[in-house]
Amino acid sequence: MFTILDFEFNQAFSMNNGKDMVNPKCRFEIIQIGAVKVDDNYDIVDEFNILIKPNIYPNIHPFVEKITGFTDKDFKYKPYFPEAFKKFRRFLGNDTLLGTWGYSDIRALFRNLTYYNIATEPMIIEYVDIQKMATQHLKYSKGGAIGLKNAVEAFNIDIERPFHHAQDDAYYTAKVLKKIAPEKLPVRIFNSSHLKPKKVQENRI
């Protein structure tokens, strides 16, 4: 088994003057973790979902609210990232390989983990880029990588849930992988030392 994950993010937004105050250590703050576990046949066997109270950027950005439907009040009693990640880590169990829709979620995970000192650099993450697999499998050529909704439609997957919700996007990502059904997963390696070299002990999540 391995775990396919997806995140929703918040970003800088000032309610007072409209100017973004970006924290360069973490430009995109994870506010939802959604994940599914798949077995060797790429069938979903378990699901995970947790909302995370924003801390770096306390107010939900209007664009984020528009595409996700989340508002500030949805996060009032939710845990902050360190506590939420502990729960996700328990869901991961012994899984060390992650499946994602693209590369950006892996990089954002690294930024959030190091911001909260949950892990230190350099960080090694093994992952499968299912977006890249779908783009190649469908021979998609309309401006680069295919979007998740377009891939779901191209594979004639039933649309049973909304998009732009981490748990549901992870679900659809797993459904796309099931359609591709590769004999062997093309494992990629994220190595944070390529972003910012440091001579410290290597960590794996």
Side-chain angles (χ1 to χ4, degrees):
M1 290 196 298
F2 83 110
T3 299
I4 296 171
L5 60 79
D6 190 83
F7 302 129
E8 296 299 335
F9 303 101
N10 196 31
Q11 58 195 69
F13 176 71
S14 172
M15 297 292 287
N16 297 320
N17 55 26
K19 294 182 180 179
D20 289 349
M21 302 295 291
V22 177
N23 187 317
K25 293 182 180 180
C26 191
R27 293 178 178 272
F28 298 99
E29 180 177 13
I30 296 172
I31 56 171
Q32 185 187 23
I33 301 175
V36 299
K37 280 185 179 289
V38 297
D39 61 20
D40 293 340
N41 295 315
Y42 306 121
D43 290 316
I44 296 171
V45 295
D46 201 1
E47 298 193 36
F48 176 88
N49 177 55
I50 192 166
L51 292 180
I52 300 166
K53 189 172 185 176
N55 177 48
I56 307 170
Y57 310 117
N59 298 115
I60 297 299
H61 193 288
F63 176 72
V64 175
E65 181 177 339
K66 181 179 179 180
I67 64 171
T68 66
F70 292 140
T71 65
D72 290 339
K73 65 181 181 181
D74 291 316
F75 300 92
K76 186 174 181 180
Y77 300 108
K78 303 304 179 184
Y80 288 112
F81 183 80
E83 181 184 345
F85 188 76
K86 285 181 182 178
K87 294 180 179 180
F88 176 60
R89 193 67 188 83
R90 287 195 291 270
F91 176 78
L92 280 178
N94 295 325
D95 290 355
T96 58
L97 178 62
L98 303 176
T100 64
W101 191 260
Y103 167 74
S104 60
D105 280 2
I106 292 296
R107 184 164 57 182
L109 176 60
F110 156 71
R111 295 295 187 197
N112 280 257
L113 288 173
T114 53
Y115 179 87
Y116 286 104
N117 296 313
I118 295 171
T120 55
E121 300 180 66
M123 189 184 303
I124 307 297
I125 302 176
E126 296 179 327
Y127 72 102
V128 176
D129 185 344
I130 299 167
Q131 182 185 40
K132 186 176 181 68
M133 294 172 63
T135 300
Q136 294 173 344
H137 185 88
L138 294 167
K139 297 181 173 58
Y140 188 80
S141 59
K142 298 179 181 179
I146 191 170
L148 179 57
K149 186 175 182 180
N150 286 338
V152 167
E153 292 173 346
F155 281 115
N156 294 313
I157 296 168
D158 291 338
I159 298 179
E160 305 168 318
R161 307 183 183 194
F163 289 90
H164 300 299
H165 182 285
Q167 183 181 7
D168 297 326
D169 285 354
Y171 170 88
Y172 284 126
T173 301
K175 291 293 186 179
V176 168
L177 181 63
K178 174 70 175 179
K179 289 287 187 177
I180 299 171
E183 292 186 8
K184 184 177 180 181
L185 290 169
V187 177
R188 304 169 70 86
I189 302 295
F190 170 85
N191 186 339
S192 68
S193 64
H194 296 162
L195 299 177
K196 188 178 178 182
K198 283 186 178 182
K199 293 183 179 179
V200 295
Q201 186 176 358
E202 175 183 298
N203 279 268
R204 291 177 182 266
I205 67 166

